[in-house]
């Protein structure tokens, strides 16, 4: 029996794990009672507004804050000199890159428009902004660095210790690549400049800090990783971790960038410590689009080599990341290009592969991971090239993919990623079936007869998930990465589980409750999930990189099973029956088949607390268990298919049908999984057609409002049909795989290939991203037909 | 993103409003629904020290038919006008424009006169006023004047209004029988500012265009009247060839701006396409309206 | 300036700076934090409230502009005993929210149509909410919730009005 089939056999009988339980979070959210960081009310709280660089690259000659300090309602105006005791933000990873620590406020130099230069603390935000306008900064402008090639080729250095503005360089040679290319019957290549994107969660960043008289600094952060952030704050502020508490209230979306500590957080924390009043900063949308983290931009060049029968012989890739002005955090700067390079093979068999990766600094806002990171760019390039190769080889483009797809068994990619098996071929076939791929040629022909242009595209994907120690190593970012969980039963018989994750829309309070409830035989509503408070929840890395189902779910599973053993041990003593004869059901521990012989969990807990005999038998930690969990990576897979109509005159693209097939192994809550698939998919459509953070030649950002940075609306997308396959991971506890980035990874390629298909009579090629109407029109002109 | 300090005034009469504008000059702005002004103020791109709210002035909240015109006071909200069935029937170009204007929630607050007075080159209502040869009733310290829409829109966000003047009402002509209208836009997303757009209203009698009104948005510093298109259509049959040529001729005269969303050439091309489509739909609706009337 | 707002049925007298946004006054002076500020330039719709029965952007409304008017926020939807409005119930049932930040704005945008008792199909529902941005859900759940709620409300409600008949 194959490893994957064995895993399927072991899958738990259907219970609460895998059930479509309605979310418990919804009640407070639909009534306006959810509390996000901007809703945290503290007496005497004052507000910060930042003075930000108006130029892209300059020496700071002087900062005059006198007028601002005297303005009404102002409590303080801080510059870099006032924050000399705060250490710059530094990297936690052992990555071979040149570090560029990020100061809380720019001291002698600014390197991107929007970089914080000073901060005003005032009674309210209105007064703070008034005063911020009075701060006068004298800039000696320097030439900005706005293009990675120019940056490498002798543009001004952004950091004096980073030669050529290249802070990271690596390469990979599998062996045999040159020979494979030389022997190939067809080589296709594509250069793409991936559009700079913005995660743009509906809630911007925000921080509230309060120093209490005992010396505890409490920091409310809209965040993805409270423990990582507590540590970084401690390092920067020079405080022991034990004096810092990070509380994450409800978070209005994150998608990656809220995984870090930012200069603004340091300034606010410092102000709270020194002013003796709580301080808050709520990022406004302009700040968010301009100076919140950017993402994704890279220039890549990919080549694929084929035999005449369509076999993929080899790949080559060069990936150059446009990181922005600071690479203070390895993952932040390198996730795009490193993950592109590593994931180019995707769900296909690739015998040979060479890649080169560069991380380059530019006079732009620094980047951070954003859903899908660089896997999206690799997926896009590869799938565009597969369609091109199919056309040039005269092979059907689905058939070409079939010939190269991996089998279902676990396999290791040419870049060392250990896939744990999946449903690569099945998910492709399912997507084709759902979108009626077979019937499309007739639909397309009928439309063409009416002068309308329909197109269809397909994009099978693999999604690396569950970043733990091993996955971090395999992806080139060594970082011991693990989590903890705890579980206990209280005296009233309810269960509490502490989880190491940091939900920001993913429904952990429900999904993890389902896991614990199933194992412990209680209702979902009898499980409280404790998360996002460094005082109360267990140490963990947080929620990012699609890791929570495996790490959070796995840790809860582990803890719940351990707690179950303890409960049964107590019940065994009390009921005088061996544990194997006992069941947990409906909030009771009882002897199977003997309805009268049962004890409620409250009774179990009571005995564990107060019965000396039971206490002695249970040992030191009683009915509270604590577990450590580190998991190998798990690889989800799936396939997106999209049908579009293109208005060839105006260049607009309308999505007619969208299908997503998702295989993330054991699902905790299919409704939550589907929601993630849909949300990611729409972000992918934005990446393909709408979203672009643009700078002009002077380094001024042009897309600093929602008028210009275009996030998809409901009318920009079609309804999305989601279908599931289940290939439990043979490697993770519970068989879960992470998910939620796959659809954002694969959707752009599906849409772009569909547009190219619609315009294939004109020889249209996707060269520009995003593919807005103007880009489509230019593409048609380039092909000679607009 | 909070506005700069300001003083808000809610005058009850036009005279009071004008007095405030005269007193504060350049430091005062008329406030309609605020849907154009508030974003600028929140971004601190505009910082008027005084806001004179036009929507609380007595008598300016009505939509009234007078002879061959509909008069909309400065307090009339876009949604209010959109929902007025008599107005929609009489001004089909206006009715065609509303669904393109942002979203309903913006139209609930924004005023018709406010949008016209703001004069954004990519906005629909100035183009409608221009196409229909609307009359704009302006009150100021020097008295009342009626300005034709043609010539009202001077340049980018600049109209004929002096800083101490108030656009108190707009008058739109009632369309003759056999009139149809359409508005087509190229916007990145539904409700966004148009990269280019065209509104067309045609009156057709016995298959011949008796009156053609065409205006384009997003193609210049103000809305523009596509006079070349109107000339070639008037007196002709509104068939595909005539319409295509009319659109082509009008587009050839355009010198559209460039920005991060579109080049000049693309805007010109889009404007031609949109004019063609708007004229086609307008002609079809004019035909069916003419059939209904007869 | 001294203003009087009737907020969720309660008359409130306030002294506010002329420049204070209605969104900020609701959230801070009145503690009604359900209304969110997502962009402060009217595009995202998170701040949507009702003023005199019409859905508007509270980030583009000065509090003083609402003087003498009735304001309704998301906190007013559920009944005093906690029973959810059919629209709120539908949002949960259709998984129309993930992070929940945009949810109050969507609810207030969809509310007039739901309360008008006109059943909406998928296309009209999708268009109805096209002025609000959501980054988490991909919109299907929201559209489904609006369709569902409008059908339920139509089952129970009398005649429609112009607001919903667009």
């Amino acid at each position: 029996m194959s490893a994957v089939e064995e895993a399927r056999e072991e899958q738990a009988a259907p219970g609460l794990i895998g059930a479509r339980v309605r979310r418990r979070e919804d009640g407070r959210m639909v009534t306006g009672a959810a509390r996000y960081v901007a809703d945290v009310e503290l007496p005497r709280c004052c507000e910060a507004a930042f003075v930000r660089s108006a130029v892209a690259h300059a020496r700071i000659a002087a900062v005059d804050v006198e007028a601002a300090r005297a303005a009404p309602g102002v409590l303080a105006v801080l510059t870099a000199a006032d924050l000399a005791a705060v250490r710059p933000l530094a990297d936690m990873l052992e990555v071979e890159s040149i570090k560029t620590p990020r100061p809380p406020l720019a001291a002698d130099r600014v390197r991107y428009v929007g970089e914080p230069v000073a901060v005003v603390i005032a009674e309210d935000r209105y007064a703070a902004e008034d005063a911020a306008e009075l701060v006068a900064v004298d800039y000696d402008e320097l030439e900005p660095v706005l293009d990675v090639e120019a940056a490498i080729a002798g543009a001004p250095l952004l950091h004096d210790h980073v030669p050529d503005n290249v802070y990271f360089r690596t390469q990979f040679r599998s062996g045999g690549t040159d020979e494979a290319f030389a022997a190939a019957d067809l080589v296709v290549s594509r250069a793409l400049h991936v559009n700079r994107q913005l995660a743009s969660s509906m809630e911007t960043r925000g921080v509230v800090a309060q120093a209490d008289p005992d010396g505890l600094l409490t920091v409310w952060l809209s965040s993805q990783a409270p423990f990582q952030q507590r540590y970084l704050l401690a390092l920067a502020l020079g405080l022991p971790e034990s004096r810092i508490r990070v509380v994450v209230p409800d978070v209005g979306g994150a998608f990656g960038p809220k995984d870090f500590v930012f200069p603004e957080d340091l300034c606010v924390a410092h102000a709270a410590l020194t002013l003796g009043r709580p301080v808050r900063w709520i990022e406004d949308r302009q700040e968010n689009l301009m100076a919140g983290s950017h993402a994704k931009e890279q220039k890549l060049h990919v080549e694929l080599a084929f035999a005449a029968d369509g076999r993929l012989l080899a790949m080559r890739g060069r990936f150059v990341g446009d990181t922005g002005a600071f690479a203070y955090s390895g993952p932040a700067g390198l996730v795009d290009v490193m993950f592109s390079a590593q994931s180019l093979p995707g769900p296909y068999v690739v015998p040979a592969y060479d890649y080169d990766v560069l991380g380059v600094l530019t006079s732009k806002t620094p980047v951070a991971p954003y859903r899908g990171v660089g896997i999206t760019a690799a997926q896009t390039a590869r799938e565009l090239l597969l369609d091109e190769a199919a056309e040039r080889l005269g092979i059907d483009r689905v058939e070409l993919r079939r010939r190269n797809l991996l089998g279902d068994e676990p396999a290791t990619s040419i870049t060392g990623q250990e896939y744990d098996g999946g449903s690569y071929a099945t998910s492709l076939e399912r997507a084709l079936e759902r979108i009626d791929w077979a019937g499309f040629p007739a639909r397309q022909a009928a439309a063409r007869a009416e002068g309308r242009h329909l197109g269809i595209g397909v994009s099978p994907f693999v999604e690396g998930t569950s970043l733990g120690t091993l996955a971090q190593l395999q992806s080139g970012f060594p970082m011991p990465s693990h989590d903890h969980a705890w579980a206990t039963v209280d005296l009233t018989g309810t269960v509490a589980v502490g989880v190491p994750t940091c939900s920001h829309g993913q429904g952990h309070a429900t999904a993890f409750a389902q896991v614990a409830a199933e194992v412990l035989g209680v209702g979902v509503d009898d499980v409280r999930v404790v998360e996002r408070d460094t005082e109360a929840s267990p140490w963990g890395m947080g929620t990012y990189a699609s890791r929570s189902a495996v790490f959070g779910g796995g840790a809860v599973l582990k803890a719940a099973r351990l707690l179950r053993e303890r409960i049964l041990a107590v019940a065994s003593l009390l009921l005088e029956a061996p544990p194997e004869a006992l069941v947990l059901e409906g909030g009771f521990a009882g002897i199977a088949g003997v309805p009268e012989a049962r004890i409620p969990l409250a009774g179990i807990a009571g005995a564990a607390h107060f019965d000396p005999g039971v206490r002695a038998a249970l040992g030191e930690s009683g009915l509270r268990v604590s577990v450590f969990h580190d998991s190998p990576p798990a690889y989800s897979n799936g396939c997106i298919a999209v049908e579009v109509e293109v208005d060839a005159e105006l260049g607009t693209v309308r999505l007619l049908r969208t299908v997503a097939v998702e295989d993330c192994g054991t699902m905790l809550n299919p409704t939550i999984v589907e929601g993630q698939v849909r949300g990611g998919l729409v972000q992918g459509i934005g990446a393909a057609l709408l979203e672009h953070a643009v700078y002009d030649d002077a380094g001024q950002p042009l897309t600093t409002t929602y008028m210009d940075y275009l996030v998809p609306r409901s009318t920009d997308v079609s309804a999305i049909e989601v279908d599931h396959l289940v290939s439990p991971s043979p490697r993770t506890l519970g068989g879960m795989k992470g998910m939620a980035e796959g659809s954002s990874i694969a959707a752009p390629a599906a849409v772009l290939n569909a547009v190219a298909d619609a315009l294939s009579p004109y020889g249209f090629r996707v060269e520009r991203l995003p593919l807005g109407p103007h880009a489509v029109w230019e593409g048609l002109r380039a092909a000679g037909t607009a | 993103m909070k506005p700069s300090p300001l003083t808000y005034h809610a005058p009850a009469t036009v005279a009071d409003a004008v007095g405030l504008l005269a007193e504060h000059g350049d430091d005062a702005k008329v406030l309609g629904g605020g849907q154009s002004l508030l974003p600028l103020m929140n971004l601190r791109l505009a910082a008027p020290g005084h806001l004179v709210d036009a929507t609380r002035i007595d008598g300016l909240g009505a939509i009234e038919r007078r002879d061959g015109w509909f008069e909309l006071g400065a307090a009339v909200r876009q949604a209010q006008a959109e929902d007025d069935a008599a107005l929609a029937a009489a001004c089909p170009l206006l009715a065609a424009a509303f669904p393109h204007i942002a979203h309903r929630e913006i139209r609930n607050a924004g005023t018709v006169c406010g949008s016209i007075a703001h004069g954004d080159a990519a906005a629909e209502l100035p183009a409608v006023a221009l196409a229909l040869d609307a009359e704009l009733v302006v009150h100021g310290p020097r008295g009342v004047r009626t300005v034709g829409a043609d010539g009202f829109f001077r340049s980018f966000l600049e109209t004929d209004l002096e800083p101490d003047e108030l656009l108190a009402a707009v008058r739109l002509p009632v369309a003759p029988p056999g009139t149809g209208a359409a508005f087509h836009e190229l916007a990145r997303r539904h409700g966004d500012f148009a990269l280019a757009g065209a509104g067309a209203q045609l009156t057709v009698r016995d298959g011949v265009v008796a009156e053609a009104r065409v205006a384009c948005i997003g193609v210049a510093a103000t809305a523009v009247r596509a006079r070349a298109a109107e000339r070639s259509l008037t007196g002709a049959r509104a068939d595909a060839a005539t319409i295509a040529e009319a659109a082509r001729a009008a587009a050839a005269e355009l010198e559209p701006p460039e920005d991060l969303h579109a080049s000049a050439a693309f805007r010109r091309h889009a404007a031609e396409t949109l004019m063609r489509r708007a004229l086609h739909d307008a002609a079809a609706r004019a035909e069916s309206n003419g059939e209904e009337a007869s | 300036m001294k203003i009087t707002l009737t907020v969720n049925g309660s008359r409130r007298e306030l002294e506010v700076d002329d420049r204070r946004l209605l969104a900020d006054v609701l959230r801070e002076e009145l503690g009604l934090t359900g209304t969110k500020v997502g962009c402060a330039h009217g595009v995202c719709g998170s701040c949507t409230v009702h003023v005199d029965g019409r859905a508007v952007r509270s980030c583009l409304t000065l509090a003083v502009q609402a003087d003498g008017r009735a304001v309704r926020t998301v906190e007013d939807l559920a009944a005093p005993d906690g029973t959810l409005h059919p629209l709120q119930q539908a949002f949960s049932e259709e998984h129309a929210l993930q992070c929940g930040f945009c949810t109050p704005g969507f609810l207030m945008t969809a509310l007039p149509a739901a309360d008008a008792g006109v059943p909406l199909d998928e296309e009209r529902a999708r268009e109805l909410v096209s002025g609000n941005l959501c980054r988490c859900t991909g919109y299907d759940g929201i559209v489904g919730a609006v369709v569902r709620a409008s059908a339920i409300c139509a089952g129970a409600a009398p005649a429609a009005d112009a607001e919903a008949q667009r």
Side-chain angles (χ1 to χ4, degrees):
Chain A
M1 201 191 271
S2 75
V4 172
E5 282 165 16
E6 270 173 10
R8 288 190 180 120
E9 293 261 321
E10 279 167 21
Q11 193 178 352
L16 288 165
I17 295 175
R20 292 180 181 274
V21 175
R22 257 180 58 199
R23 292 187 347 157
R24 301 154 77 195
E25 296 91 326
D26 290 352
R28 68 178 183 272
M29 289 178 179
V30 298
T31 54
R35 291 258 153 182
Y36 303 82
V37 71
D39 307 323
V40 171
E41 274 178 68
L42 295 173
R44 303 183 67 236
C45 194
C46 45
E47 283 214 64
F50 283 86
V51 177
R52 297 180 179 276
S53 172
V55 296
H57 192 199
R59 295 201 188 282
I60 298 175
V63 184
D64 183 356
V65 301
E66 287 318 304
R69 280 201 176 123
V74 171
L75 294 145
V77 182
L78 307 177
T79 62
D82 299 304
L83 284 124
V86 178
R87 293 199 200 94
L89 289 163
D91 208 315
M92 285 213 302
L93 290 202
E94 297 291 318
V95 182
E96 290 275 328
S97 71
I98 306 175
K99 308 292 180 5
T100 55
R102 197 172 179 185
L105 290 173
D108 52 294
R109 203 154 146 192
V110 290
R111 295 176 170 90
Y112 63 99
V113 171
E115 183 171 2
V117 176
V119 58
V120 175
I121 316 288
E123 294 292 344
D124 63 46
R125 180 72 183 226
Y126 291 75
E129 288 191 14
D130 292 344
E133 283 191 324
L134 299 175
V135 173
V137 185
D138 236 333
Y139 294 109
D140 288 332
E141 285 193 57
L142 302 167
E143 205 189 306
V145 180
L146 296 168
D147 168 76
V148 291
E149 257 112 45
I152 298 168
L157 292 185
L158 278 173
H159 296 264
D160 296 335
H161 66 292
V162 184
D164 303 327
N165 292 308
V166 177
Y167 68 95
F168 178 81
R169 208 186 284 268
T170 196
Q171 65 173 45
F172 172 80
R173 301 285 183 264
S174 71
T177 305
D178 289 339
E179 294 82 346
F181 268 87
D185 293 310
L186 174 72
V187 172
V188 286
S189 72
R190 193 75 57 111
L192 286 177
H193 185 168
V194 176
N195 39 328
R196 200 171 193 82
Q197 291 156 55
L198 310 173
S200 177
S201 48
M202 293 322 300
E203 186 208 19
T204 57
R205 290 179 294 166
V207 54
V208 183
Q210 178 178 48
D212 75 20
D214 300 345
L216 180 71
L217 177 71
T218 305
V219 183
W220 288 263
L221 269 175
S222 183
S223 155
Q224 295 174 240
F227 284 94
Q228 289 195 49
Q229 288 162 336
R230 184 178 71 168
Y231 181 56
L232 289 171
L233 284 167
L235 290 180
L237 297 170
L239 293 174
E241 262 196 328
S242 56
R243 277 190 51 201
I244 301 179
R245 174 183 184 184
V246 174
V247 178
V248 179
D250 282 313
V251 177
F255 311 118
K258 289 181 180 176
D259 202 22
F260 302 93
V261 172
F262 292 98
E264 293 93 341
D265 303 324
L266 298 183
C267 294
V268 169
H270 175 86
L273 286 166
T274 50
L275 287 179
R277 282 175 64 175
V279 181
R280 81 173 192 169
W281 172 68
I282 305 300
E283 183 184 44
D284 69 38
R285 185 58 63 182
Q286 191 177 40
E287 291 180 288
N288 176 256
L289 299 178
M290 172 176 66
S293 300
H294 287 194
K296 304 269 185 166
E297 186 175 8
Q298 59 173 296
K299 284 190 172 175
L300 57 85
H301 184 259
V302 170
E303 298 173 278
L304 304 187
F306 290 90
D309 65 359
R311 266 177 310 122
L312 185 54
L313 300 175
M315 294 176 153
R316 272 197 200 119
R318 181 170 184 270
F319 306 90
V320 183
D322 188 321
T323 296
F326 288 89
Y328 72 99
S329 165
L334 295 171
V335 275
D336 289 321
V337 282
M338 277 306 297
F339 277 74
S340 284
Q342 294 266 328
S343 64
L344 190 66
Y348 302 100
V349 178
V350 178
Y353 177 31
D354 290 353
Y355 69 71
D356 287 275
V357 168
L358 276 91
V360 181
L361 300 169
T362 57
S363 308
K364 301 178 187 175
T365 303
V367 303
Y370 166 41
R371 197 173 198 163
V373 295
I375 309 176
T376 313
Q379 176 81 10
T380 302
R382 184 215 320 120
E383 296 297 315
L384 285 172
L385 285 173
L386 284 170
D387 270 20
E388 181 183 341
E391 198 201 312
R392 290 172 60 180
L393 290 169
I395 299 173
D396 174 82
R397 54 199 167 119
V398 170
E399 182 54 32
L400 181 68
R401 287 171 169 87
R402 285 190 187 116
R403 289 182 194 174
N404 289 290
L405 273 178
L406 289 164
D408 285 351
E409 296 308 303
T412 301
S413 81
I414 190 83
T415 53
Q417 297 189 314
E418 294 174 6
Y419 299 172
D420 50 350
S423 54
Y424 313 106
T426 310
S427 61
L428 170 62
E429 301 307 328
R430 180 72 64 87
L432 299 175
E433 186 193 307
R434 290 293 297 260
I435 205 163
D436 186 21
W437 187 274
F440 180 74
R443 295 200 289 281
Q444 186 179 53
R448 282 214 175 112
E450 293 174 3
R452 293 165 50 225
H453 304 276
L454 299 191
I456 201 166
V458 70
S459 180
F461 67 89
V462 164
E463 177 193 349
T465 76
S466 319
L467 278 188
T469 304
L470 197 57
Q472 292 275 173
L473 257 178
Q474 287 176 9
S475 65
F477 296 104
M479 179 161 87
S481 206
H482 61 267
D483 290 58
H484 297 257
W486 54 257
T488 188
V489 182
D490 62 38
L491 290 170
T492 59
T494 48
V495 174
V497 292
V499 298
T501 48
C502 189
S503 191
H504 45 273
Q506 298 92 333
H508 294 173
T510 306
F512 297 156
Q514 290 173 245
V515 173
E518 175 167 316
V519 172
L520 298 169
V522 299
V524 174
D525 286 337
D526 294 319
V527 178
R528 188 164 81 95
V529 176
V530 177
E531 194 188 33
R532 302 180 299 171
D533 182 345
T534 57
E535 292 286 280
S537 48
W539 201 97
M541 299 298 290
T543 290
Y544 53 92
S546 304
R547 69 196 299 279
S548 295
V550 170
F551 276 84
V556 170
L557 193 56
K558 208 181 221 181
R561 284 178 179 168
L562 196 54
L563 181 61
R564 181 190 159 89
E565 279 175 29
R566 298 280 176 88
I567 292 170
L568 292 180
V570 174
S572 171
L573 286 173
L574 299 177
L575 294 170
E576 293 174 342
E580 315 82 68
L582 302 174
V583 291
L584 292 184
E585 219 170 53
F588 288 83
I591 300 176
V594 186
E596 325 81 68
R598 63 180 198 165
I599 306 177
L601 286 186
I604 302 285
H609 271 77
F610 300 119
D611 181 323
V614 171
R615 276 243 300 277
L618 265 185
E620 288 294 332
S621 52
L623 267 195
R624 188 189 171 93
V625 305
S626 189
V627 301
F628 162 94
H629 192 54
D630 190 2
S631 177
Y635 289 81
S636 289
N637 72 275
C639 188
I640 309 281
V642 174
E643 186 174 319
V644 305
E645 176 165 356
V646 182
D647 182 326
E649 283 187 304
L650 293 178
T652 51
V653 176
R654 191 161 74 97
L655 271 69
L656 299 178
R657 288 194 61 203
T658 310
V659 166
V661 177
E662 172 75 31
D663 186 342
C664 57
T666 303
M667 288 187 280
L668 299 181
N669 184 319
T671 302
I672 290 177
V673 168
E674 284 161 13
Q676 294 297 314
V677 171
R678 295 195 162 98
L681 201 153
V682 168
Q683 287 179 315
I685 290 166
L689 300 176
L690 289 166
E691 298 181 41
H692 198 179
V694 178
Y695 285 86
D696 72 11
D697 292 338
Q700 291 293 324
L702 299 179
T703 47
T704 62
T705 72
Y706 274 151
M707 273 72 137
D708 290 309
Y709 189 79
L710 307 173
V711 166
R713 298 182 180 283
S714 61
T715 41
D716 294 313
V717 297
S718 75
I720 298 165
E721 300 162 47
V722 183
D723 203 353
H724 300 286
L725 294 167
V726 181
S727 306
S729 174
R731 297 193 187 137
T732 66
L733 194 67
M736 284 86 77
K737 302 183 179 186
M739 58 81 53
E741 293 177 87
S743 56
S744 66
I745 286 166
V751 173
L752 296 169
N753 271 337
V755 173
D757 181 49
L759 300 176
S760 58
Y762 307 111
F764 177 87
R765 244 172 92 94
V766 174
E767 308 269 2
R768 299 240 325 240
L769 296 171
L771 207 56
H774 186 212
V776 171
W777 181 71
E778 286 211 326
L780 286 170
R781 287 214 307 180
T785 44
Chain B
M1 286 173 71
K2 308 295 182 191
S4 300
L6 61 90
T7 304
Y8 168 83
H9 309 270
T13 68
V14 173
D16 287 344
V18 168
L20 286 162
L21 293 174
E23 185 188 337
H24 298 291
D26 281 339
D27 199 28
K29 284 281 294 175
V30 175
L31 179 65
Q35 304 303 282
S36 305
L37 187 55
L38 262 291
L40 295 175
M41 285 165 50
N42 287 348
L43 288 163
R44 298 208 173 201
L45 295 173
H50 295 267
L51 290 178
V52 179
D53 193 334
T55 67
R56 298 200 186 241
I57 296 173
D58 291 332
L60 292 190
I63 301 173
E64 283 179 7
R65 172 142 185 181
R66 297 205 188 124
D67 302 319
W69 297 81
F70 264 87
E71 182 167 309
L72 285 68
V76 171
R77 310 278 175 180
Q78 291 165 19
Q80 179 191 348
E82 185 178 357
D83 293 345
D84 191 308
L87 178 61
C91 297
L93 184 61
L94 179 68
F98 276 124
H100 293 280
I101 302 176
H103 298 272
R104 179 70 178 187
E105 297 74 40
I106 301 293
R107 302 198 295 274
N108 278 338
T111 59
V112 174
C113 284
S115 176
I116 291 171
H118 188 66
D120 192 308
E124 294 79 359
L125 291 174
V128 170
L130 192 61
L132 298 182
D133 286 311
E135 285 183 2
L136 304 161
V137 181
V138 176
H139 286 248
R142 295 165 290 286
V144 186
R145 59 195 184 96
T146 304
V147 188
D150 187 26
F152 180 77
F153 304 102
R154 291 286 181 77
S155 179
F156 184 67
L157 295 181
E158 211 188 290
T159 68
D160 191 56
L161 288 174
E162 296 293 333
D164 55 6
E165 289 184 311
L166 167 73
L167 176 60
V170 60
R171 293 188 188 129
L172 302 170
V174 174
T179 300
F183 215 105
H184 278 251
E185 270 190 28
L186 170 63
R188 293 299 297 274
R189 299 168 304 181
H190 176 55
D192 283 354
F193 276 110
L195 301 192
Q201 180 171 293
L202 296 177
T203 305
V204 177
R205 275 183 217 123
D206 302 320
V208 169
V209 175
E211 186 180 81
R213 296 176 173 281
V214 185
C216 292
I217 61 175
V219 295
T222 67
V224 296
R225 195 77 186 260
R227 300 224 183 254
E230 293 174 353
R231 277 192 301 270
S232 58
L233 282 163
T234 310
R237 303 201 74 82
D239 56 32
T242 313
I243 285 173
E245 176 52 31
R248 193 209 58 76
E253 286 182 352
L254 297 173
E255 281 177 16
E258 301 240 340
D259 66 16
L260 70 104
H261 293 296
S263 66
F266 178 56
R267 279 200 155 89
R268 188 181 298 111
H269 161 81
E272 181 182 338
T273 304
L274 294 162
M275 270 192 279
R276 184 170 13 93
R277 294 181 185 182
L279 285 166
H280 176 267
D281 288 354
R285 289 173 192 165
E287 296 277 353
S288 72
N289 288 346
E291 280 159 19
E292 278 171 27
S294 60
Chain C
M1 181 173 153
K2 275 199 170 57
I3 62 172
T4 304
L5 306 175
T6 304
V7 182
N8 297 335
S10 297
R11 202 183 134 89
R12 307 297 302 263
E13 282 177 13
L14 300 161
E15 171 84 50
V16 299
D17 256 6
D18 287 9
R19 62 166 164 168
R20 267 184 90 69
L21 302 174
L22 178 61
D24 290 333
V25 168
L26 290 170
R27 289 174 49 76
E28 292 175 29
E29 277 87 325
L30 296 176
L32 296 166
T33 57
T35 301
K36 306 301 178 196
V37 178
C39 74
H41 47 281
V43 180
C44 79
S46 294
C47 68
T48 306
V49 300
H50 291 188
V51 174
D52 284 350
R54 291 191 178 270
V56 295
R57 309 288 198 228
S58 63
C59 76
L60 296 188
T61 309
L62 300 174
V64 292
Q65 286 177 281
D67 182 26
R69 304 205 189 280
V71 179
R72 197 170 177 211
T73 69
V74 67
E75 286 90 345
D76 196 50
L77 262 64
D81 69 356
T83 307
L84 296 179
H85 186 284
L87 195 56
Q88 292 169 308
Q89 182 75 12
F91 263 62
S92 179
E93 282 164 4
E94 295 287 329
H95 193 41
L97 62 151
Q98 292 179 23
C99 81
F101 191 83
C102 71
T103 303
F106 272 96
L107 288 169
M108 299 313 285
T109 291
L111 188 61
D115 278 347
V118 177
L120 298 174
D121 63 17
E122 197 250 346
E123 193 184 323
R124 287 207 57 204
R126 190 171 284 274
E127 209 256 314
L128 179 74
V129 298
S130 64
N132 291 57
L133 294 180
C134 173
R135 206 49 166 156
C136 291
T137 68
Y139 299 108
D140 278 344
I142 295 170
V143 172
V146 173
V147 169
R148 179 182 212 153
S150 70
I152 290 170
C153 292
D161 74 21
E163 181 67 32
Q165 267 172 347
R166 305 174 290 108

